[in-house]
Amino acid sequence: MKNLYNRNTLILLFVIAAVSINLRLGITSIGPLMDTLKESLNLSSTQASLLTTVPVLCMGIFALLATVLNKTLGSKITLLLMLSILLISTLIRGFYTGFITLLISAFFVGLAIAVLAPTLSSVIKKYFPGHAAVAIGISSFFMSAGSATTAALTGAFYTSMDSYPFALAIWSVFSFLAIIVVLFIYKPGAQNNTPSQAVPEFKYNFPSPWVQKMPWLFMLFYALQAALYFSTLTWLVPMSVDNGMSMIQGGMLLAAVMAMQVVFNLLFPILMEKYPARRNWIFLISGIGAIATGLFWTGDHTLMWIAAFMMGIPLGGLYSAAMMLPLDETVTSQGANSWTAMMQTGGCILGGLFPFVIGWIFDITHNHNYTMSILLGLYVVGFLLITAIGNKTEKNYDDYIVRDPENIAG
């Protein structure tokens, strides 16, 4: 795309950033307060883990809703509707503090994110053909920046205000700001004055992603990175506290993970676009993640800090890789939306179960060695999955073109 950095595309990137920063806040704010919530609400680890498991499951269950809403309402109304749901469900945590209220708010947080992520993928595919990696990188960067901010500051807000409802509800500010940005700045369609995907002369009739092999592999890959991300997010601080750190120290450790994730969410898509051997990159960062898990397992505080910075590399890289996979394999924005929605549907349902399973196992064993074993096993599965997926290959889409006989010359 020529003139990628003209005024209109920069405005569109600003909109993508404003929405993306909200994609994890309602979930990542729970992790630093996990022990506090367990104590304040008299919860088991299994019950507390539901506050992250439920929204992740909803991200999977309702992902296909994105395709329906985008077709019927358009991208702008869909974004505004879901951001409004996210605003209300996060803000309500500051006024109603019971476990059931937190579960209900977690449900709607997951619903909103389920629709927002595929909608953003569709917008990126439409307006950034040939440069999707840049837009994905920016989206991932701001999503991770939001995660890092909540990891670092949620515990501090709780300590300064002595109120976990305030520490949870304060993050609704970002949803409000995103609503303002989308409402007054985002102009979809021709109003954007940005080059959309250059395929209007053809109509394509692709088979559903549900009947193709590759989308299923993508789904499993997304499940893998989701399991690693949300399990780390949920249990890293409690594991740190078990190893002698304070809640603030554990929160800073998680912030270190998220900070490295910020960098690699932005860097990894650019590297994959320039050096497209994605299998080799994923082998490398998965190996780094496995080593980091081993270092954290030692319980030595110095090694745990080193491991935290290393953990952010695969958590950032694997998510960016997962989001790029359907963009590499599709040719239209509708195709990117449907593939991403399918990938997120099964991936979040499968991956979202892991924080719950870890909490259940910990309630039985009271030993986080099993947690570390599960995380290490996930990296091993990652090696097998990317071997099956392989590198990006060029495809011929001509067989899927729907040709109008009246417009065929000769």
Side-chain angles (χ1 to χ4, degrees), residues 71 199 201-209 211-212 330-332 334-335 338-339 396-404:
K71 285 182 178 179
V199 291
E201 66 271 23
F202 296 124
K203 290 185 178 180
Y204 292 88
N205 184 26
F206 293 109
S208 166
V211 299
Q212 301 179 65
T330 57
V331 71
T332 66
Q334 293 85 356
S338 61
W339 278 51
N396 185 354
Y397 296 105
D398 290 350
D399 293 339
Y400 299 100
I401 297 176
V402 178
R403 302 186 185 276
D404 185 353

Side-chain angles (χ1 to χ4, degrees), residues 87-109:
L87 169 65
I88 295 169
S89 56
T90 306
L91 186 61
I92 200 173
R93 293 174 171 180
F95 300 96
Y96 301 95
T97 59
F99 177 59
I100 297 301
T101 301
L102 290 178
L103 271 183
I104 294 173
S105 72
F107 173 89
F108 284 104
V109 164

Side-chain angles (χ1 to χ4, degrees), residues 28 86 95 102 172 190-191 244 262 281 306 308 313 325 338 364 401:
T28 54
L86 196 58
F95 300 96
L102 290 178
S172 61
Q191 302 176 66
V262 169
W281 284 111
I306 295 172
I313 297 174
L325 291 176
S338 61
I364 296 173
I401 297 176

Side-chain angles (χ1 to χ4, degrees), residues 237-283:
V237 174
M239 285 192 292
S240 303
V241 172
D242 277 359
N243 280 305
M245 290 186 171
S246 67
M247 183 182 70
I248 296 295
Q249 289 174 318
M252 295 307 296
L253 201 68
L254 181 59
V257 176
M258 297 295 106
M260 287 300 293
Q261 186 192 12
V262 169
V263 175
F264 277 84
N265 267 336
L266 182 62
L267 181 62
F268 193 67
I270 298 173
L271 291 174
M272 283 185 65
E273 186 176 70
K274 187 172 181 63
Y275 307 103
R278 65 189 179 197
R279 181 171 56 188
N280 297 339
W281 284 111
I282 296 174
F283 278 152

